[in-house]
Amino acid sequence: MSISLSSLILLPIWINMAQIQQGGPDEKEKTTALKDLLSRIDLDELMKKDEPPLDFPDTLEGFEYAFNEKGQLRHIKTGEPFVFNYREDLHRWNQKRYEALGEIITKYVYELLEKDCNLKKISIPVDATESEPKSFIFMSEDALTNPQKLMVLIHGSGVVRAGQWARRLIINEDLDSGTQIPFIKRAVAEGYGVIVLNPNENYIEVEKPKIHVQSSSDSSDEPAEKRERKDKVSKETKKRRDFYEKYRNPQREKEMMQLYIRENGSPEEHAVYVWDHFIAQAAAENVFFVAHSYGGLAFVELMIQREADVKNKVTAVALTDSVHNVWHQEAGKTIREWMRENCCNWVSSSEPLDTSVESMLPDCPRVSAGMSEFYKSISQGSTTETEPLEDVYATIHTHRDRHIHTYTHAHMYICVFLNIIQLIFIIYASYIM
């Protein structure tokens, strides 16, 4: 007969409960405390006590990984891809290791945005004091001065930060699949100014200060007998808390608290802030947005709050698997009409690229991205030529009397975005002629 590790861990507690149930009122009180403890214990948390220390390297070299010439993350010694299950049966430890590596990669992508894409890192809020929490965005040198066109990129929710589409694609596939770098370089080459938003950088984490509770016996004027009774209860409570804490947090992980960044405490706030302080001030006559997943929701919220300004300045919006909802976000009729004219949402679908996909929402057109799973399809790649992308932006811009014809090579998700950028450029060129 096999006994699980969790059963072995809980066995002493069960035995203890069985023993003290034989006693008097005091023992029954302890039984109640133990039952309360058992009700709050998370078995996954109990496993922590068997983990190795959560002490991970802070550099790629420390992890013994590096990006090769193809932008793939490979082990320095073996040349193998990243291995998640570094230690068997220690999922939580492996996850913490993966997250630690992810943080290093985030900083690595930031460096690439500055060095390879020649973008500037701009701190926000723009009037932040030295001591308050700050975030940042990235901009090309001409982002605010380019008189013709500006491209704005917004990623989705989760752990991704500026310059990324999907962290797991960066780790498991390559930089081109998981970052915005190919799109930024293409946009710059086509003469766009570029602004890269950072909507998930909403707070900084600091260690929670320890609260020292002054003993009631030091300051109370209560009778000695009552004080002693309260002190006894307090000591018992502390003993139970320490007993539980020994299992809940055996590695003594730091208790952290979040300090939110002023006017950037959510992706929606961030989009509005960057609009007010940067995009609205840009010289470009035509602003184009590319927004993925939750980035689409953030754009719709921006539109709700700055409707007239957005309509006046934004020419077209390319969404990919956007999770916006015009009903839940209470977007008005005029916004929905504008979105039907100026937005297009490429969604995961097994239908051929640009095939119309039915939508229950009365907003922008939904068309197939030519793949059933965006992230899975990125890594598979393709060299086949796509069908002509006719009418994509003729649909978005019904006030224009031209059909748009573009042929590209579909390198899955990347190709879709590169096509979008190229199409926007063609529209703009035809518009000013």
Side-chain angles (χ1 to χ4, degrees):
M1 181 178 70
S2 62
I3 302 176
S4 68
L5 178 60
S6 59
S7 298
L8 288 174
I9 293 170
L10 293 174
L11 186 59
I13 300 176
W14 289 328
I15 293 172
N16 196 10
M17 284 180 63
Q19 289 173 342
I20 64 180
Q21 279 178 337
Q22 309 298 322
D26 290 342
E27 299 302 329
K28 288 181 179 179
E29 183 181 338
K30 291 181 181 179
T31 304
T32 301
L34 282 171
K35 285 181 178 178
D36 176 64
L37 168 65
L38 284 171
S39 70
R40 290 182 289 144
I41 286 179
D42 184 336
L43 293 183
D44 288 336
E45 296 287 342
L46 281 174
M47 299 304 180
K48 291 180 182 179
K49 75 188 194 70
D50 296 322
E51 288 179 341
L54 300 176
D55 185 18
F56 303 108
D58 57 4
T59 64
L60 279 177
E61 293 75 16
F63 271 95
E64 297 188 328
Y65 280 97
F67 286 100
N68 61 21
E69 65 280 356
K70 296 180 180 179
Q72 301 166 324
L73 188 69
R74 293 292 182 265
H75 196 276
I76 294 172
K77 296 179 181 177
T78 66
E80 293 296 314
F82 175 76
V83 176
F84 179 86
N85 289 317
Y86 188 76
R87 291 179 182 267
E88 292 295 331
D89 301 323
L90 288 174
H91 178 81
R92 179 179 175 275
W93 187 90
N94 289 328
Q95 180 63 33
K96 292 286 186 181
R97 173 176 173 265
Y98 176 83
E99 291 169 4
L101 176 64
E103 292 302 309
I104 295 170
I105 287 175
T106 290
K107 295 175 182 177
Y108 182 79
V109 173
Y110 288 158
E111 292 176 5
L112 293 179
L113 293 180
E114 293 186 278
K115 294 177 181 178
D116 285 14
C117 300
N118 298 315
L119 302 186
K120 297 186 300 180
K121 186 178 180 180
I122 307 297
S123 180
I124 55 175
V126 294
D127 59 347
T129 63
E130 190 67 27
S131 59
E132 75 172 296
K134 304 175 189 67
S135 181
F136 49 86
I137 59 173
F138 290 89
M139 301 195 312
S140 63
E141 195 71 39
D142 67 338
L144 302 183
T145 59
N146 188 316
Q148 297 179 331
K149 48 192 178 176
L150 172 66
M151 179 73 68
V152 181
L153 301 177
I154 315 179
H155 59 64
S157 60
V159 296
V160 291
R161 295 295 185 269
Q164 302 180 45
W165 294 126
R167 174 187 285 180
R168 72 180 178 86
L169 285 178
I170 299 173
I171 293 176
N172 298 325
E173 300 302 331
D174 54 51
L175 289 166
D176 279 356
S177 296
T179 74
Q180 299 172 347
I181 290 173
F183 320 126
I184 294 168
K185 289 183 175 180
R186 176 68 174 270
V188 170
E190 298 288 356
Y192 288 86
V194 175
I195 295 181
V196 178
L197 271 63
N198 202 8
N200 293 335
E201 192 76 13
N202 307 129
Y203 56 81
I204 63 171
E205 285 192 329
V206 297
E207 189 173 356
K208 187 181 292 185
K210 295 180 180 179
I211 301 174
H212 299 282
V213 180
Q214 191 175 17
S215 174
S216 60
S217 59
D218 296 337
S219 58
S220 175
D221 294 330
E222 296 174 338
E225 184 180 348
K226 189 174 182 180
R227 275 204 312 272
E228 288 176 6
R229 233 180 6 253
K230 289 179 69 176
D231 287 347
K232 183 179 179 180
V233 171
S234 177
K235 288 176 182 177
E236 288 297 322
T237 302
K238 183 178 184 302
K239 188 183 296 185
R240 288 196 297 269
R241 187 187 302 117
D242 291 344
F243 180 65
Y244 173 65
E245 186 67 15
K246 179 177 66 174
Y247 289 96
R248 190 192 74 81
N249 194 8
Q251 299 228 32
R252 300 294 179 187
E253 295 177 51
K254 294 178 180 178
E255 295 285 344
M256 307 299 286
M257 60 184 294
Q258 298 170 348
L259 300 179
Y260 280 85
I261 298 163
R262 175 164 53 89
E263 298 181 82
N264 287 269
S266 69
E268 296 91 328
E269 278 190 9
H270 177 76
V272 172
Y273 185 89
V274 175
W275 175 274
D276 289 344
H277 292 82
F278 297 95
I279 304 171
Q281 313 300 326
E285 292 183 7
N286 299 278
V287 176
F288 306 94
F289 275 78
V290 178
H292 174 62
S293 186
Y294 201 88
L297 185 148
F299 173 80
V300 172
E301 186 62 31
L302 166 64
M303 179 131 210
I304 291 170
Q305 296 194 36
R306 301 288 185 272
E307 180 177 354
D309 293 338
V310 170
K311 288 180 177 179
N312 184 55
K313 204 166 184 68
V314 175
T315 303
V317 181
L319 306 171
T320 59
D321 267 345
S322 175
V323 298
H324 72 273
N325 187 304
V326 292
W327 294 136
H328 292 165
Q329 294 180 258
E330 299 183 351
K333 180 181 178 182
T334 54
I335 290 176
R336 299 196 301 270
E337 290 174 348
W338 186 91
M339 290 181 67
R340 280 196 291 271
E341 296 277 330
N342 298 277
C343 301
C344 187
N345 188 11
W346 278 263
V347 299
S348 301
S349 171
S350 58
E351 296 296 323
L353 183 65
D354 287 335
T355 302
S356 179
V357 176
E358 186 178 357
S359 173
M360 297 180 66
L361 297 175
D363 53 17
C364 60
R366 284 162 45 99
V367 296
S368 171
M371 56 200 75
S372 57
E373 295 181 57
F374 265 25
Y375 290 161
K376 181 179 178 181
S377 298
I378 301 171
S379 61
Q380 292 176 344
S382 174
T383 56
T384 60
E385 191 171 53
T386 68
E387 292 295 319
L389 301 183
E390 299 181 3
D391 302 329
V392 173
Y393 278 92
T395 302
I396 295 177
H397 293 277
T398 55
H399 60 281
R400 299 188 182 179
D401 297 322
R402 303 185 184 189
H403 287 177
I404 297 141
H405 302 267
T406 300
Y407 290 81
T408 64
H409 289 279
H411 184 57
M412 296 305 181
Y413 194 38
I414 294 175
C415 178
V416 172
F417 270 91
L418 295 182
N419 284 341
I420 292 168
I421 293 173
Q422 179 65 25
L423 286 166
I424 291 173
F425 175 74
I426 293 173
I427 292 172
Y428 172 76
S430 64
Y431 179 71
I432 62 174
M433 287 176 60

